């Protein structure tokens, strides 16, 4: 079990690292594209396509890591005034709802990937890219987010700190 846990954590951190690299690529590609246009040239269509894909992937690949580190956005107005027991119950209920939503989205994402493979769908823009390459991120990332939210349902730690403004 320890090896599986270590492999999972390595995958989670690897996905977050890939998202961070894509964010840097976005900055570089945008700057290069602007410089190329200011020189009176036409940037490659690959710049535009790669930045579109990077925005999509970095959002999904970084999300499970953000859940693990409680980096998501939430309003602490209500949770800061709750007594500890009510905070525990509410936080675990919210995490359970998040698990349910992520499981549904992972399932629907799996259906979408399966359909893309069965139909041999392509994303046709500057290049022909098999659509499953885009949609495969849905079931993987939403499954991992469900696992991360489930840790807050059954684990010692809860999703909400109950301390408004402390992390600002």
């Amino acid at each position: 079990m320890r090896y599986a846990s270590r492999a999972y954590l390595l995958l989670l951190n690897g996905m977050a690292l890939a998202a961070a690299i894509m964010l840097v690529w976005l900055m570089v590609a945008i700057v290069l594209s602007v410089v190329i246009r200011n020189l009176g040239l036409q940037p490659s269509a690959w710049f535009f396509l790669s930045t579109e894909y990077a925005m999509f992937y970095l959002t999904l690949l970084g999300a499970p890591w953000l859940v693990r580190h409680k980096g998501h956005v939430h309003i602490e107005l209500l949770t800061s005034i709750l007594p500890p027991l009510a905070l525990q119950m509410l936080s675990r209920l919210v995490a359970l709802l998040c698990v349910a939503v992520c499981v549904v989205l992972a399932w629907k994402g799996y259906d979408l990937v399966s359909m893309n493979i069965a139909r041999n769908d392509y994303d046709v823009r500057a290049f022909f890219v098999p659509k499953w390459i885009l949609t495969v991120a849905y079931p993987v990332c939403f499954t991992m987010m469900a696992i991360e939210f489930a840790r807050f349902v059954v684990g010692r730690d809860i999703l909400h700190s109950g301390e408004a403004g402390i992390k600002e």
Side-chain angles (χ1 to χ4, degrees), residues 65-72 152 157-160 167:
W65 185 87
L66 283 173
V67 173
R68 174 169 279 245
H69 293 281
K70 299 180 186 180
H72 54 281
F152 295 115
D157 201 11
I158 60 171
L159 192 58
H160 303 93
K167 296 181 182 180

Side-chain angles (χ1 to χ4, degrees), residues 16-60:
L17 178 62
I21 291 168
M22 286 180 203
L23 189 59
V24 171
W25 166 247
L26 276 172
M27 180 197 66
V28 169
I30 290 169
V31 168
L32 282 175
S33 182
V34 168
V35 168
I36 290 169
R37 285 178 191 208
N38 283 335
L39 292 174
L41 303 171
Q42 180 65 35
S44 169
W46 186 80
F47 276 114
F48 184 70
L49 192 62
S50 68
T51 55
E52 274 188 5
Y53 289 172
M55 284 189 287
F56 171 74
Y57 275 119
L58 79 86
T59 303
L60 285 173

Side-chain angles (χ1 to χ4, degrees), residues 6 40 64 94 97 100 103 115 128 138 162:
R6 190 175 294 164
V94 167
L97 290 172
V103 166
M115 183 178 64
F128 288 85
Y138 286 124

Side-chain angles (χ1 to χ4, degrees), residues 8-154:
Y8 174 78
L9 193 56
L10 186 64
L11 176 64
L12 185 83
N13 289 332
M15 287 169 47
L17 178 62
I21 291 168
M22 286 180 203
L23 189 59
V24 171
W25 166 247
L26 276 172
M27 180 197 66
V28 169
I30 290 169
V31 168
L32 282 175
S33 182
V34 168
V35 168
I36 290 169
R37 285 178 191 208
N38 283 335
L39 292 174
L41 303 171
Q42 180 65 35
S44 169
W46 186 80
F47 276 114
F48 184 70
L49 192 62
S50 68
T51 55
E52 274 188 5
Y53 289 172
M55 284 189 287
F56 171 74
Y57 275 119
L58 79 86
T59 303
L60 285 173
L61 292 176
W65 185 87
L66 283 173
V67 173
R68 174 169 279 245
H69 293 281
K70 299 180 186 180
H72 54 281
V73 176
H74 63 275
I75 298 171
E76 297 172 324
L77 185 63
L78 174 65
T79 60
S80 66
I81 61 170
L82 291 175
L85 182 60
L87 175 64
Q88 284 266 340
M89 291 173 54
L90 178 67
S91 185
R92 292 185 193 284
L93 177 65
V94 167
L96 183 62
L97 290 172
C98 291
V99 169
V101 168
C102 287
V103 166
V104 168
L105 290 173
W107 177 311
K108 296 306 278 179
Y110 175 76
D111 284 346
L112 183 60
V113 172
S114 299
M115 183 178 64
N116 290 152
I117 291 171
R119 290 183 180 176
N120 203 20
D121 288 339
Y122 282 88
D123 183 29
V124 181
R125 291 189 230 182
F127 302 101
F128 288 85
V129 178
K131 268 205 177 160
W132 68 267
I133 290 175
L134 292 170
T135 58
V136 74
Y138 286 124
V140 172
C141 296
F142 280 109
T143 297
M144 291 181 73
M145 281 188 276
I147 291 168
E148 291 303 317
F149 279 119
R151 292 177 58 244
F152 295 115
V153 174
V154 297

